[in-house]
Amino acid sequence: RWKNMSDEEIMNSLKTAEKIIFNLKFPISKEAIEKTFLREIGEGDEGKVLWPLRIALTGLAASPGPFDIIEILGRDESISRLKRALESVWML
């Protein structure tokens, strides 16, 4: 969890990340992924989207950054992992 986020906030963050990834044009560089994410999530606490995203993609708190991971996994696998994470949060 990022700073006491509720399950609903985590689900909303993961859905936001899923939408952003779905709209990316692959293949794409991690720099372009980062630029798109930061533009889409806007000002504020980036960790609210990026921390749940990192955990959803890797299952680890310490891992490469989410933009590196998305670049390597690609759209389909990244979205698949986000869907599994959403199902896990839903079941809590």
Side-chain angles (χ1 to χ4, degrees):
R1 294 197 183 271
W2 178 255
K3 298 183 181 179
N4 302 322
M5 288 178 69
S6 69
D7 291 346
E8 183 178 347
E9 289 173 311
I10 292 170
M11 289 181 69
N12 288 336
S13 292
L14 293 175
K15 288 176 185 177
T16 295
E18 180 181 27
K19 181 181 126 199
I20 294 168
I21 293 169
F22 182 80
N23 289 318
L24 293 171
K25 305 293 184 222
F26 285 83
I28 187 171
S29 69
K30 77 171 190 148
E31 292 81 14
I33 295 168
E34 180 176 8
K35 182 179 177 181
T36 301
F37 259 86
L38 296 180
R39 182 183 68 240
E40 292 293 322
I41 61 178
E43 297 290 324
D45 189 356
E46 297 166 356
K48 285 187 175 184
V49 173
L50 301 181
W51 186 259
L53 175 60
R54 175 191 298 259
I55 301 299
L57 293 173
T58 67
L60 303 169
S63 69
F67 310 124
D68 295 295
I69 298 164
I70 294 166
E71 179 185 33
I72 292 166
L73 294 178
R75 175 187 292 120
D76 294 342
E77 183 61 25
S78 296
I79 289 175
S80 175
R81 291 180 184 203
L82 284 171
K83 288 186 183 301
R84 282 195 301 262
L86 281 163
E87 289 172 3
S88 295
V89 174
W90 178 256
M91 297 176 77
L92 293 177

